[in-house]
Amino acid sequence: KENLNNTLDITLVKVNREKISIYSNPSGARVKLDGVDVGYTPLTKTVSEGKHWVYVEKNEQKYGMEINTEIHNSIHFDLPTRKVTRSLQ
């Protein structure tokens, strides 16, 4: 029999974590963080340090922005309370 010794090298890296809070007016907007549904505003999540994309959606209106946890720890979106439509005459 052939004796094979396999080794596995593992490097552990500490990932710094930050809390971010996401608010909207009105509250209850759906939140996506880096493309993943994470809940509804108001919401506090723990994320890895660095850049992330935050999207909120309510009443068929979508808003998004890139955040950096080194700069932002709280984000507030002012959303329209209703969809405005006009008829042309």
Side-chain angles (χ1 to χ4, degrees):
K1 288 185 174 181
E2 186 177 333
N3 186 6
L4 298 175
N5 289 325
N6 294 323
T7 61
L8 176 63
D9 291 325
I10 298 175
T11 302
L12 299 177
V13 178
K14 181 180 179 186
V15 176
N16 290 332
R17 310 288 283 174
E18 300 284 342
K19 282 190 179 183
I20 60 168
S21 296
I22 304 163
Y23 302 94
S24 68
N25 182 24
S27 63
R30 187 172 74 169
V31 178
K32 285 188 177 185
L33 183 61
D34 296 325
V36 177
D37 282 319
V38 292
Y40 295 87
T41 59
L43 178 71
T44 299
K45 295 296 287 183
T46 301
V47 298
S48 60
E49 185 178 74
K51 294 181 180 180
H52 298 275
W53 276 96
V54 176
Y55 295 93
V56 295
E57 178 182 356
K58 186 160 184 155
N59 300 328
E60 299 179 13
Q61 302 293 318
K62 297 178 184 178
Y63 300 89
M65 68 180 288
E66 183 180 45
I67 63 158
N68 185 334
T69 60
E70 296 175 14
I71 300 168
H72 304 101
N73 62 5
S74 180
I75 305 149
H76 186 94
F77 291 90
D78 283 317
L79 308 174
T81 54
R82 61 190 162 122
K83 190 172 183 177
V84 177
T85 59
R86 289 185 179 176
S87 61
L88 300 176
Q89 295 184 16

